[in-house]
Amino acid sequence: MPGIYIHIPFCKQACNYCDFHFSTSLKNKDAFLSALKQEISLQKNYLKPSPEGEGRVRSVYFGGGTPSLLSSEELLEIFDELNKHFKISPDAEITLEANPDDLSKGKIKQLRDTPVNRLSIGIQSFFDEDLRYMNRAHTSQMAVDAVKAAQDFGFSNITIDLIYGTPTLNDENWKSNLDKAFALGVQHISSYALTVEAKTALDHAIKTGKSKNVDDQQTARQFEILISEMKKNKFIQYEISNFCKEGFHSRHNSNYWLKEHYLGLGPSAHSYDGVSRQWNVRNNNLYIQSLEKAELNFEKEILTPDQQYNEYILTSLRTMWGTDLAQIKRMGEKYLKNCVSEVETYIASGDVILKENFLFLTDKGKLIGDRIASDLFLV
């Protein structure tokens, strides 16, 4: 089920941990929107029909940046252009990332008049101390109000983001964050450990002694709390960081992990067609300038068989669907031999289980999932 990702590269202010591509200046927004429409037209043939003849787009995801900075009129213009060039399924999952401070009642009402049917609300925490630490623009009350208002206006598919492992967040408050999320009745929760990315404001603050570093033991404890509380509240952990109620798996997220094809639009956006990856220039001005000349500006990589094997290990092992040894065998005997040999240690340690020819991470193994995957790589 092919999908489309649209990167909106603007934010009101920079969160200290974020290394995504964005600008806090909106002066080029109109030029960007014109360029985006041009890119949609130029990329109309990227998503080829599947062998079964299914060519409809099943998910559209507006990420960023902060897509909720766009007006409903601007969103409708983008949808008009998409519909000119792509067959979008009538039941497509159409997600818009939004910050709580953007989701006034008036804004939500306007969004209901667009094709958007799923909101991804970047809450991160229900404690103001944590939000100040992360340099978020909203308060905890704004977060609660945004979710309730979205529900009142008929949004019945809402996901929220939560971050754990921040120096300001103790275990008791982390459990309280989860309890508040469950009480709000959202259908999906994405929860990530705070990661210190190079060249971010957080990285600088830690290096200059203005902030404590991340505590790995605290992060591990809070991840275990996360898994335990999600199970108690009947959320399915279908990927290490993603949890949902039955029937509310994110199609967009699942596309990445199940190796479906997707087209990325906007500066820094990535695309995948099964055999290659490409990524747009990570610069708003260069992106706009290229498309004003009707030119695409991206780099491309044809994936080698070894890279395809490594990517399959990295993505599949993180999910509830697991790593299919039969699929690895189809890639080649050397890949199966490598995988089976390298995973034995983790099966013996209880980090991985082998069931009906599939490999699955245990709850214990999920703590070191990236390490396990890298050890199974062929290098």
Side-chain angles (χ1 to χ4, degrees), residues 47-61:
L47 294 174
K48 299 178 178 63
S50 69
E52 296 78 18
E54 174 57 58
R56 289 189 180 273
V57 172
R58 297 290 310 284
S59 72
V60 178
Y61 191 99

Side-chain angles (χ1 to χ4, degrees), residues 8-25:
I8 307 300
F10 303 106
C11 287
K12 287 180 182 176
Q13 64 186 51
C15 303
N16 66 359
Y17 55 84
C18 182
D19 72 337
F20 291 162
H21 171 66
F22 67 92
S23 170
T24 53
S25 170

